């Protein structure tokens, strides 16, 4: 599972008031090369919760993203886009789970 | 990719080995699955370059088809871990990326309008009443462009009314009527194969 998935999901379990972001339980993570598609990234950028992405990437050992949400002028920088691409689409949670921040319920992820 | 080629790939996928009755686990056959996704792509442009979610993905047939037709990003959600194992192997065999999560679809919410298209063959609701409509409700919330789904033809009027009036769909259209062979997976099916009429729907949320 890649971090785009983590960024868009929240827990909707009955009684949960704020189910986002889900915690990550990282048992094994890998990095898999994915084709670089700048248009897709620019389109995704406005939909992403930046802090959740930065924290998730860090918990998988990648700390190259700027802490502060960058403004959209950064989308012209290839260097920035490459980092965004790597964090969003190339980091894979291979084994582990997403965890509801309030109830602790686990949503296991599968390889691939 | 040609339709025949797509159907060929889907025909080679592994399917449920111990189907669970209560979850209504039966695969969408390669004939129907290939036509469903091929139509979504070639008549409506809802797959190529899009973010696609497969709800109740089982062994992954519909999600795999979306990936083969050029979806940019594919997710599969199922409540059953055994099916997800198989989905994961199917994706690996074809070197496709799927993002698979084990969860009851009602336990997740989706933010940010990231998903363009939802494809699904939901439980018909024969075991758990209303399961089909629970899936449709969720799918219409999550998708920003279109939902493709299969429902029993006998429920056509109900599906249409519920989608348009209760779930605020902008349109609900039956693309074609199909014969769906539900194989004799279950003891309570007396005949060898139960052939039921199923509608292929396209909804616009
Ligand atoms: C009719 S099968 C379709 C399987 C697969 N999509 C296909 O087309 O071959 C329905 C699937 O929905 C899953 N399912 C049933 N209830 C569910 C729920 N509440 N949340 C998530 N998945 C569910 C079942 O495990 C099963 O894999």
């Amino acid at each position: 599972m890649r971090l785009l998935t983590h960024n868009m999901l929240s827990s909707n379990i009955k009684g949960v008031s704020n189910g986002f972001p889900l915690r990550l339980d990282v048992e094994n993570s890998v990095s898999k090369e994915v084709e670089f598609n700048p248009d897709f990234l620019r389109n995704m950028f406005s939909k992403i919760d930046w802090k959740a992405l930065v924290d998730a990437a860090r918990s998988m050992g990648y700390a190259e993203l700027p802490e502060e949400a960058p403004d959209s002028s950064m989308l012209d920088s290839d260097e920035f886009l490459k980092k965004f691409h790597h964090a969003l689409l190339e980091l894979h949670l291979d084994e582990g789970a997403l965890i509801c921040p309030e109830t602790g319920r686990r949503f296991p992820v599968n390889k691939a | 990719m040609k339709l025949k080629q797509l159907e060929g790939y889907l025909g080679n996928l592994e399917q449920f080995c111990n189907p669970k009755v209560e979850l209504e686990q039966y695969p969408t056959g390669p004939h129907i699955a290939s036509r469903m996704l091929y139509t979504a792509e070639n008549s409506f442009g809802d797959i190529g370059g899009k973010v696609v979610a497969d709800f109740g993905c089982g062994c992954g047939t519909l999600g795999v088809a979306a990936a083969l037709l050029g979806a940019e990003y594919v997710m599969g959600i199922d409540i059953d871990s055994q099916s997800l194992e198989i989905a994961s192997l199917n994706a690996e065999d074809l070197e496709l990326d799927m993002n698979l999560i084990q969860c009851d679809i009602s336990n997740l919410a989706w933010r940010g309008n990231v998903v363009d298209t939802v494809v699904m063959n939901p439980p018909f609701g024969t075991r758990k009443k209303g399961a089909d409509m629970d899936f449709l409700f969720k799918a219409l919330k999550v998708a920003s462009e279109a939902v493709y789904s299969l429902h029993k033809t006998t429920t056509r009027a109900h599906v249409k009314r519920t989608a348009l009036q209760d779930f605020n769909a902008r349109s609900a259209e039956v693309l074609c009527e199909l014969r769906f062979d539900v194989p004799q997976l279950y003891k309570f099916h007396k005949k060898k194969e139960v052939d039921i009429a199923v509608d292929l729907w396209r909804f616009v949320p």
Side-chain angles (χ1 to χ4, degrees):
Chain A
M1 185 217 65
R2 296 175 268 176
L3 293 186
L4 174 58
T5 304
H6 168 260
N7 207 277
M8 72 173 107
L9 293 179
S10 66
S11 167
N12 193 42
I13 293 171
K14 255 208 191 87
V16 168
S17 60
N18 184 10
F20 184 83
L22 296 164
R23 290 206 315 267
L24 276 168
D25 173 20
V26 184
E27 278 168 40
N28 186 31
S29 71
V30 294
S31 165
K32 292 193 206 169
E33 211 170 301
V34 173
E35 205 173 314
F36 180 60
N37 179 348
D39 287 338
F40 182 75
L41 293 169
R42 289 192 190 103
N43 174 30
M44 278 304 135
F45 181 73
S46 60
K47 302 178 176 183
I48 290 301
D49 182 293
W50 190 256
K51 184 170 178 350
L53 180 64
V54 172
D55 291 347
R58 185 167 299 139
S59 72
M60 287 170 70
Y62 184 71
E64 305 285 310
L65 292 178
E67 194 76 32
E68 286 288 305
D71 69 84
S72 50
S73 65
M74 291 296 276
L75 295 176
D76 295 329
S77 148
D78 245 23
E79 194 197 336
F80 170 73
L81 283 181
K82 291 248 158 79
K83 289 178 179 169
F84 182 41
H85 171 74
H86 184 70
L88 194 68
L89 300 173
E90 293 192 324
L91 295 177
H92 264 253
L93 180 57
D94 222 26
E95 273 170 70
L98 301 172
I99 300 176
C100 170
E102 292 188 7
T103 63
R105 170 87 67 91
R106 294 170 64 84
F107 306 124
V109 308
N110 285 71
K111 278 193 184 184
Chain B
M1 177 174 305
K2 296 221 173 72
L3 178 61
K4 275 274 164 270
Q5 241 177 322
L6 179 64
E7 188 173 344
Y9 279 118
L10 301 183
N12 286 330
L13 299 177
E14 292 295 321
Q15 297 294 349
F16 303 104
C17 46
N18 296 305
K20 301 189 176 68
V21 184
E22 68 285 4
L23 296 174
E24 298 195 47
Q25 293 185 330
Y26 35 78
T28 312
H31 181 84
I32 292 183
S34 59
R35 273 145 192 87
M36 182 171 174
L37 273 290
Y38 194 80
T39 305
E41 172 57 10
N42 289 282
S43 306
F44 299 97
D46 284 328
I47 305 295
K50 306 288 181 186
V51 177
V52 178
D54 179 351
F55 279 8
C57 65
C59 304
T61 305
L62 303 177
V64 163
L68 288 170
L69 292 175
E72 182 72 32
Y73 194 86
V74 179
M75 272 165 294
I77 311 292
D78 204 284
I79 198 168
D80 177 45
S81 64
Q82 278 174 325
S83 318
L84 286 167
E85 293 279 334
I86 300 173
S88 166
L89 294 175
N90 281 331
E92 246 172 42
D93 274 353
L94 292 169
E95 298 184 9
L96 300 170
D97 268 318
M98 301 257 276
N99 293 270
L100 300 170
I101 296 178
Q102 184 199 343
C103 188
D104 184 321
I105 52 141
S106 61
N107 280 344
L108 287 176
W110 304 60
R111 53 162 292 284
N113 293 321
V114 178
V115 175
D116 298 305
T117 306
V118 172
V119 296
M120 61 187 190
N121 176 6
F124 290 133
T126 43
R127 303 291 300 183
K128 181 173 171 251
K129 208 171 155 12
D132 50 344
M133 289 298 133
D134 291 347
F135 268 67
L136 184 58
F137 172 69
K138 196 73 180 190
L140 282 166
K141 274 189 154 182
V142 170
S144 40
E145 288 187 8
V147 174
Y148 292 84
S149 185
L150 299 168
H151 297 271
K152 283 200 286 193
T153 301
T154 51
T155 64
R156 188 180 292 180
H158 174 64
V159 169
K160 182 144 203 154
R161 192 173 351 99
T162 311
L164 294 175
Q165 292 175 11
D166 301 343
F167 301 164
N168 290 320
R170 278 198 289 153
S171 77
E173 196 191 339
V174 174
L175 301 179
C176 62
E177 194 181 312
L178 302 153
R179 310 300 303 178
F180 195 108
D181 294 335
V182 184
Q184 198 218 15
L185 303 170
Y186 307 138
K187 288 196 202 72
F188 64 81
H189 286 161
K190 289 192 199 73
K191 281 186 264 165
K192 206 163 105 223
E193 225 167 43
V194 195
D195 175 295
I196 48 174
V198 170
D199 293 334
L200 169 57
W201 287 86
R202 179 177 189 265
F203 304 92
V204 177

